[in-house]
Amino acid sequence: MSVTYTRGMVVKGPDLLAKHDYRPYVCLSDASHPFSEEEALYAAVTTTGRAVAIPLGDDDFESGGLPRESYVNPWTVVSIRHSDIQQAEGRLDEEIVSKIAGEAAGYLGVE
C-alpha cells in the first residue's frame, strides 16, 4: 500500500517532462479527486524562472523545502499515482497552493 500525498505537499516524482530521474511537483488535489487514495493532480516545479511562473520562497513552506531556487509552472498539471512518488520534500502554505491552483484553473478556462 502506498502513502497518500495531499494538497500542498511538495514531492519528488517521476520526471514526465524531461530526461531526468525525478522532478519536484506540488500536489493540488484534495479529497474530492475521484481516486484520491490512488493518485493526485500535481503542478510541475522547475528551476527555470519564467515571467508567469510562480516563485517558491522559504516563507512559502510550512515544513521542508527545496535545495535550489524553484518555480511552479501552473500550466503544467499532471496526474501521478501515489505509488510513483519517491518522497515528500515539504508542505506549502495554503495561500500559495490556492494561488497555484487558481492560476492552473485559469489555464483551463475557469475564472
Side-chain angles (χ1 to χ4, degrees):
M1 180 169 168
S2 67
V3 174
T4 298
Y5 297 95
T6 58
R7 182 176 169 92
M9 292 184 83
V10 177
V11 301
K12 183 190 293 185
D15 192 342
L16 305 173
L17 310 168
K19 293 183 180 188
H20 302 289
D21 291 337
Y22 62 87
R23 166 181 298 279
Y25 296 91
V26 176
C27 183
L28 299 179
S29 293
D30 60 18
S32 69
H33 185 287
F35 301 100
S36 63
E37 61 283 338
E38 296 174 25
E39 63 188 30
L41 295 174
Y42 294 88
V45 177
T46 181
T47 56
T48 304
R50 293 181 173 87
V52 293
I54 300 171
L56 292 179
D58 291 340
D59 292 346
D60 294 319
F61 284 85
E62 288 181 355
S63 63
L66 293 170
R68 300 193 304 178
E69 187 172 0
S70 299
Y71 306 85
V72 179
N73 293 340
W75 61 89
T76 307
V77 178
V78 297
S79 180
I80 304 174
R81 297 179 75 69
H82 299 306
S83 60
D84 291 332
I85 300 296
Q86 294 178 19
Q87 67 187 42
E89 299 287 333
R91 178 175 291 283
L92 294 176
D93 178 86
E94 180 56 33
E95 185 176 335
I96 191 76
V97 177
S98 291
K99 178 179 180 176
I100 296 164
E103 291 196 23
Y107 288 107
L108 298 172
V110 177
E111 295 181 26

